[in-house]
C-alpha cells in the first residue's frame, strides 16, 4: 500500500500540471515559495482560490470573465460585424493588447487534434456556427495558430462557415518585423511570398 502524498509532494504535483512546467521546475518553485517567500505562497494560494471561485466563461464569447457577459461583449462600441475566432483566452488577450482590433471574439476550447481524439464538437465548433449566424456577423476572422493543428482547425472551420454564406478571412503571416531573412524558416518565407501585398 502506498503512503499518502505529503503536502509538499501534492504542491509539486499541482505545479507540474501547469503548461511547460516539468518536475524539476515544479520542485524549484515549491522549494522557493516554502523556504524563501511564504508571503508570496499565501498570496498565490489566495489568488488561485479567488479566481477559481469567481472567474467563469462569458456566455457569449466563451472568454474568461467575472460576470456572465465579459467587458468586450458588453461594449456597445465594438464592431459586431466582425468575429475573431481564437483557440483560447490567452490568444484573445494577446490580440486585445495590440489595440488594433475592435470587433468581437469567439474563444474555442482548443484546436483540432485527431490523434488525441479532439474533434470539431470538442472545441466548440457547433457553438461557433450558431454565434456566427446571429445575423450581425459579416466577417469571421480565423486567428488560430500556424501549427499543423491550428491550420487544420482553421480549414475545417472555414469550410463550415463558408457553407453558411459567411465571409471568412485568416490572419496574415509572414516575416517578423526586425528579423533577417537568412534566419527566418523557409515555410514563413514561402507564405510571406504568397501572401505579399
Amino acid at each position: 500500500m502506498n503512503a499518502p502524498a505529503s503536502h509538499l509532494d501534492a504542491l509539486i504535483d499541482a505545479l507540474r500540471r501547469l503548461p511547460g512546467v516539468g518536475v524539476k521546475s515544479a520542485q524549484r518553485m515549491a522549494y522557493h515559495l516554502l523556504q524563501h517567500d511564504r508571503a508570496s505562497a499565501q498570496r498565490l494560494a489566495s489568488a488561485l482560490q479567488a479566481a477559481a471561485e469567481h472567474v467563469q466563461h462569458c456566455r457569449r464569447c466563451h472568454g474568461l470573465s467575472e460576470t456572465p457577459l465579459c467587458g468586450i461583449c458588453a461594449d456597445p462600441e465594438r464592431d459586431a460585424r466582425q468575429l475573431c475566432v481564437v483557440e483560447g483566452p490567452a490568444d484573445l488577450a494577446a490580440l486585445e493588447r495590440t489595440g488594433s482590433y475592435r470587433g468581437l471574439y469567439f474563444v474555442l476550447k482548443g484546436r483540432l487534434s485527431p490523434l488525441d481524439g479532439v474533434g470539431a464538437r470538442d472545441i466548440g465548433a457547433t457553438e461557433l456556427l450558431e454565434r456566427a449566424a446571429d445575423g450581425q456577423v459579416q466577417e469571421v476572422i480565423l486567428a488560430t495558430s500556424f501549427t499543423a493543428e491550428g491550420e487544420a482547425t482553421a480549414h475545417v472551420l472555414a469550410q463550415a462557415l463558408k457553407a453558411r454564406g459567411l465571409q471568412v478571412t485568416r490572419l496574415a503571416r509572414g516575416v517578423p518585423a526586425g528579423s533577417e531573412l537568412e534566419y527566418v524558416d523557409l515555410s514563413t518565407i514561402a507564405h510571406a511570398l504568397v501572401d505579399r501585398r
Side-chain angles (χ1 to χ4, degrees), residues 117-174:
V118 179
R121 288 180 190 254
D122 301 314
I123 64 169
T126 303
E127 294 93 335
L128 168 62
L129 295 176
E130 288 171 9
R131 172 76 178 84
D134 69 357
Q136 291 184 308
V137 175
Q138 295 176 9
E139 177 189 11
V140 179
I141 303 164
L142 297 175
T144 57
S145 60
F146 291 106
T147 62
E149 294 89 355
E151 292 282 6
T153 302
H155 177 74
V156 167
L157 295 177
Q159 297 297 96
L161 291 161
K162 286 178 183 175
R164 285 169 171 72
L166 292 161
Q167 177 188 1
V168 180
T169 58
R170 179 89 165 102
L171 281 186
R173 58 184 159 180

Side-chain angles (χ1 to χ4, degrees), residues 42 56 159:
Q42 290 295 337
Q56 58 192 313
Q159 297 297 96

